[in-house]
Amino acid sequence: MERIFKRKIYSQILDWKKTKDGKTALLIKGARRVGKSTIAEEFAKNEYRSYIVVDFADAPAALWEAVENISDRDYFFTQLQFIYGVQLYERESVIIFDEIQKCPQVRQAIKYLVKDYRFDYIETGSLLSIKKNTTGIVIPSEETRITMRPMDYEEFRWALGDTSTLPLLKTCFEQRRSLGDAVTRKLLRDFRLYMLVGGMPQAVNTYLDTLNLIAVDKVKREIIELYLDDFQKIDPTGKAERMFKAIPSQLSGNASRYQATSVIGRSEDKDTMTELLRDMEDSLTVNISHHANDPNVGMALHMDYSRYKMYVGDTGLFITLAFMDKTVTENVIYQKLLSDKLSADLGYVYENVVAQILTSIGDNLFYYTWPTDSGKHNYEIDFILSRGSKICPVEVKSSGYAAHASLDAFMEKFSSRIASDYLIYTKDLRKDGPILLVPVFMTMFL
C-alpha cells in the first residue's frame, strides 16, 4: 500500500506559495526516491483548484511538440490542458515540472512563465543532472530553491503513528531531565529501528507493509543501484561510484580524513578532484564534513578542501551499503544492530546518523584534528557546531563515555570560544562536569 507521509518540507512549500504569490517558481532539489514528486503533487492537490504534473521522464510525444513552441504561451498552456485532460484556472492552478533536469528548455523558460503570471510552477529534480544539464542555458533567477532530504527521525515516528515522543524528548532536553535507564533503552531501540530502515519513503512504506527488515533491505539495494547508475552517468570514469561505495570502509578505518587515493588512485589534478567532490555533495546522496583549520565562528572561511570525511545521506542506505558484498544483509546482522549487540567496530554507524541529523537541522559539517603532546597520535572532534558567537564541540561514541580525551583537550585549548560541550552516546541524558552527555536520539535538539 502506497502511503502519503507527513513531511516537514510541506510548510516550506506553503510559505513559498503565500510569500512569493507566483513571483517565483519553486525548485525542490533532492536525491532520487526522497519523495519530491509525491510532496509536490500532494501540495498541488491540497492547495490549488487544479494541477498538471508534467513528468519529463515519461512524457508523451505531444508534450515535446508543445515544448518546442513554449515561447507561444497561449498555445503551450492550451496543449498542456488537452494532453493531460485538466483545465487550468488563472492564479488558481499549478503546473509541476517533474524531473526538470531532463528538459533544460523548460527550465530556461521559467523566467517567462513566471512573468506571464497566470499559474504557479513547481519544479523537481534529482541528483546533479540538474547542474549538468544547465550548461549553455540561462538559469532563471525567478526561482526559489529548497532541499528535500530523507525523512528525519520525527517524520519517521509520525509514519509509525507516534506524534508524542519527540515533543516529550525536546522538553526533557531543554529541562536537562534524565529519562531513566529502562526508558532510555526502549527509546534507543526505537531509534536503532530508524537507523536500520532509514528515511527513504519507499523503505519506510515497505517496513510498514511487511515489518520485515529483509524486504526493506531489498528496497534499499534498489535505491543504491539507482544512485550508482547516476554516478556513472555524471562521471564515466567511475571515480564517484567507487568513492560512494567506499564510505563505510573509510569510516571504519578511523582515519582522520577520507583517503581518496586508496580508493581511486593518486590524482595529480587537484581541480578535477575538487569538482568531483562538489558534484558528489551536490547530488545530496552524501554529506561531507570538512576539516576546520581554525575552529571558530565562520569556519567556512578556514575549511580545508583537501581534508574531509564523507557520510551517506541516509543511514539506512549506509547500513545496506556496508554489507553490499552479501546478497542480502543477513537477518542476524539486523537483529544484532537492533538490540545493540553487534561488535564495537560498527560505532561509525552512529557517526553517520549524527552527520545526517545535523545536516537535516541546517548545520554545515566541520571536524577538527590536532596532534597530542607526544605527537604519536591525534585528538579529533567529530563535529563542531556554530551557535551564535560561539562554537560547540561534539564527540560521538557508540558505547561508553568514561574517556573523552579529545573533548577535554579541545575545551582546554579553545575554552574562550566554546558555548557548550556535547558527547553523543547510547545512554541517558546527564552531565559529566561541563560536558552534557546526550543520548543519540536527542541529537536534533543541539
Side-chain angles (χ1 to χ4, degrees):
M1 181 178 78
E2 287 299 322
R3 297 170 177 84
I4 304 296
F5 296 116
K6 180 181 177 183
R7 303 298 299 272
K8 294 177 182 178
I9 199 172
Y10 193 102
S11 62
Q12 293 183 53
I13 305 174
L14 190 60
D15 181 68
W16 159 79
K17 183 178 187 293
K18 290 178 178 177
T19 59
K20 299 300 183 181
D21 186 33
K23 300 298 194 302
T24 69
L26 179 72
L27 172 64
I28 306 174
K29 301 184 298 176
R32 281 232 239 171
R33 301 294 176 87
V34 84
K36 303 179 302 298
S37 304
T38 301
I39 196 69
E41 186 165 1
E42 182 69 7
F43 183 82
K45 191 182 300 181
N46 295 340
E47 308 296 339
Y48 291 90
R49 186 176 175 184
S50 70
Y51 68 94
I52 288 175
V53 178
V54 179
D55 183 358
F56 289 114
D58 185 26
L63 174 68
W64 298 110
E65 182 179 332
V67 167
E68 288 300 316
N69 296 280
I70 198 169
S71 59
D72 183 346
R73 280 172 286 287
D74 288 340
Y75 173 82
F76 179 68
F77 294 139
T78 300
Q79 290 300 104
L80 282 187
Q81 292 173 88
F82 277 123
I83 293 167
Y84 292 98
V86 174
Q87 184 172 353
L88 296 173
Y89 302 91
E90 191 166 330
R91 300 307 313 138
E92 295 182 90
S93 298
V94 62
I95 300 172
I96 300 171
F97 293 123
D98 200 15
E99 302 293 351
I100 187 70
Q101 74 277 3
K102 295 183 181 295
C103 190
Q105 190 174 347
V106 169
R107 179 93 188 280
Q108 183 168 249
I110 285 293
K111 174 185 179 71
Y112 306 102
L113 296 177
V114 167
K115 187 177 180 180
D116 179 88
Y117 197 59
R118 267 178 269 186
F119 312 113
D120 284 356
Y121 304 94
I122 297 176
E123 311 160 77
T124 74
S126 302
L127 283 174
L128 35 135
S129 43
I130 276 188
K131 176 181 174 182
K132 296 294 184 185
N133 286 6
T134 53
T135 305
I137 75 166
V138 178
I139 302 298
S141 57
E142 297 76 10
E143 197 174 66
T144 298
R145 303 175 190 182
I146 59 175
T147 299
M148 189 171 194
R149 300 188 184 277
M151 296 167 72
D152 67 18
Y153 185 47
E154 185 168 25
E155 291 171 327
F156 180 76
R157 296 308 307 173
W158 290 343
L160 270 58
D162 172 13
T163 58
S164 60
T165 294
L166 269 293
L168 288 170
L169 285 177
K170 185 176 183 181
T171 298
C172 290
F173 179 83
E174 290 171 346
Q175 297 177 356
R176 302 297 191 257
R177 188 193 312 158
S178 64
L179 304 165
D181 292 341
V183 171
T184 299
R185 283 194 297 272
K186 190 267 182 190
L187 291 171
L188 279 167
R189 185 178 175 85
D190 290 345
F191 185 76
R192 284 194 295 269
L193 177 63
Y194 169 65
M195 293 168 64
L196 290 169
V197 174
M200 305 304 286
Q202 190 179 356
V204 177
N205 195 71
T206 300
Y207 175 75
L208 293 174
D209 279 346
T210 66
L211 301 181
N212 185 318
L213 291 172
I214 301 304
V216 173
D217 186 71
K218 291 176 181 177
V219 169
K220 292 190 292 177
R221 285 170 181 265
E222 291 171 2
I223 295 172
I224 289 172
E225 291 298 334
L226 283 175
Y227 288 178
L228 297 179
D229 288 345
D230 283 337
F231 280 132
Q232 276 288 346
K233 291 172 186 173
I234 63 171
D235 173 41
T237 68
K239 290 179 181 177
E241 178 187 357
R242 294 200 299 275
M243 288 184 69
F244 180 77
K245 290 166 72 173
I247 291 174
S249 62
Q250 286 284 316
L251 286 176
S252 67
N254 205 29
S256 62
R257 68 173 78 181
Y258 189 106
Q259 305 286 343
T261 55
S262 67
V263 178
I264 60 174
R266 186 168 297 279
S267 174
E268 301 299 328
D269 190 343
K270 183 179 178 181
D271 290 340
T272 300
M273 192 64 201
T274 299
E275 182 68 17
L276 179 65
L277 284 174
R278 283 178 177 164
D279 283 349
M280 293 188 72
E281 196 165 22
D282 286 346
S283 77
L284 299 172
T285 61
V286 302
N287 296 318
I288 296 180
S289 178
H290 290 279
H291 190 273
N293 291 340
D294 182 17
N296 206 342
V297 176
M299 285 176 285
L301 299 173
H302 305 283
M303 69 181 182
D304 188 339
Y305 282 99
S306 66
R307 299 171 69 186
Y308 56 89
K309 289 189 171 187
M310 196 180 301
Y311 304 93
V312 179
D314 177 73
T315 301
L317 295 182
F318 175 88
I319 289 173
T320 295
L321 188 64
F323 296 103
M324 282 291 277
D325 57 323
K326 301 179 184 297
T327 306
V328 175
T329 304
E330 295 173 5
N331 193 55
V332 66
I333 292 172
Y334 274 117
Q335 290 306 319
K336 286 186 174 181
L337 271 169
L338 197 57
S339 58
D340 202 26
K341 292 180 179 176
L342 204 61
S343 57
D345 64 351
L346 272 186
Y348 56 86
V349 176
Y350 287 96
E351 192 176 330
N352 195 94
V353 78
V354 169
Q356 179 183 347
I357 293 170
L358 294 177
T359 300
S360 73
I361 63 175
D363 281 299
N364 294 318
L365 303 181
F366 297 97
Y367 73 104
Y368 182 66
T369 63
W370 74 106
T372 61
D373 292 338
S374 68
K376 293 182 179 179
H377 66 277
N378 286 336
Y379 291 121
E380 180 171 323
I381 299 299
D382 295 313
F383 302 101
I384 303 174
L385 312 180
S386 180
R387 296 290 183 266
S389 60
K390 299 281 188 176
I391 58 172
C392 300
V394 178
E395 191 170 340
V396 181
K397 288 186 176 292
S398 61
S399 53
Y401 62 90
H404 34 71
S406 293
L407 205 51
D408 294 337
F410 188 88
M411 288 188 292
E412 183 177 346
K413 185 178 178 69
F414 298 109
S415 59
S416 64
R417 304 180 181 184
I418 297 173
S420 301
D421 315 285
Y422 299 113
L423 187 145
I424 296 175
Y425 73 146
T426 56
K427 298 191 184 303
D428 197 3
L429 182 71
R430 64 180 290 260
K431 290 279 287 185
D432 183 11
I435 301 172
L436 184 64
L437 308 179
V438 181
V440 63
F441 52 75
M442 285 185 171
T443 302
M444 64 288 297
F445 306 130
L446 297 188

